[in-house]
Amino acid sequence: MSDVVDESVAHKTPVQDFAADWDHTDPQWVNDPYPIWDDLRERCPVAHTERYGGGWFPTTHEMVTSIANDTEHFTSRMVVVTRNKFPPNFIPAPVGGAPPITSDPPFHSIARRVILPAFAPGPVNALEPQIRALCNKHLDEMVGREFVDGGTDYAQFIPPGVIATMLASLRRTRRSSATSSIWCWT
């Protein structure tokens, strides 16, 4: 594990008890979260915090699965734990947010149906040359350097680059009237 902690999180009040005050940006969590998670699984399987406007942290696969499938008691509208919560007048999913990840049934299924064709094997395989070029470009930028950080020098650029490639490809394709309404989102 790295001993390097982002300075933007180093000034915060350190966590004394992760069960009652967890913080995913705490230096101890950032540098090595696994012992913290193991401890929480043993003594407090669902940790809580008032930081970031409040949040819960289920620590087992079974709990996460149960919560994800219980849309009657849990929502997906606020899935990111951050200081920047949506303002009170923010339009919630399905219109606002980032559907389908931030939407609940029944809109979740509708949003997934709209975007899933873009992730089918055919369209994804067609993008392979551009994605390989993107990856090679970022790898080439590291050539000759004595030290590189795979996360900040390479990996952080790949997901947004792939998404941009997908969006550009989708915009070039002929849009049917059934899907034309989603283009106002992009």
Side-chain angles (χ1 to χ4, degrees):
M1 286 289 146
S2 169
D3 289 342
V4 177
V5 175
D6 184 345
E7 290 299 317
S8 66
V9 300
H11 68 281
K12 297 171 77 174
T13 305
V15 172
Q16 300 300 313
D17 178 10
F18 283 96
D21 182 37
W22 62 269
D23 184 348
H24 61 296
T25 67
D26 183 85
Q28 185 180 349
W29 184 297
V30 170
N31 286 325
D32 190 5
Y34 307 109
I36 297 167
W37 298 349
D38 290 341
D39 174 60
L40 290 173
R41 283 187 197 99
E42 290 294 319
R43 66 183 183 94
C44 180
V46 181
H48 182 262
T49 188
E50 288 300 324
R51 296 174 193 240
Y52 309 102
W56 300 91
F57 180 70
T59 62
T60 67
H61 177 268
E62 293 79 16
M63 278 190 262
V64 171
T65 300
S66 176
I67 290 167
N69 290 306
D70 185 355
T71 58
E72 183 178 334
H73 296 102
F74 300 95
T75 181
S76 294
R77 291 187 178 170
M78 289 298 297
V79 294
V80 178
V81 178
T82 178
R83 278 179 262 159
N84 303 321
K85 298 287 188 194
F86 295 123
N89 61 348
F90 182 78
I91 300 170
V95 178
I101 193 75
T102 59
S103 59
D104 294 323
F107 184 76
H108 180 266
S109 298
I110 297 166
R112 281 190 62 198
R113 258 185 254 124
V114 169
I115 67 168
L116 277 179
F119 294 93
V124 169
N125 289 342
L127 296 175
E128 184 177 352
Q130 294 112 301
I131 294 170
R132 283 187 179 275
L134 169 73
C135 293
N136 287 331
K137 171 188 166 243
H138 289 289
L139 288 171
D140 290 344
E141 290 172 2
M142 294 185 286
V143 170
R145 292 174 48 191
E146 186 176 353
F147 298 100
V148 297
D149 181 321
T152 59
D153 296 333
Y154 177 75
Q156 73 173 349
F157 301 107
I158 305 308
V162 170
I163 292 167
T165 301
M166 292 177 79
L167 290 173
S169 176
L170 288 170
R171 285 187 175 159
R172 285 191 299 267
T173 61
R174 198 169 133 223
R175 299 177 201 120
S176 71
S177 61
T179 60
S180 62
S181 63
I182 68 164
W183 298 108
C184 65
W185 295 357
T186 57

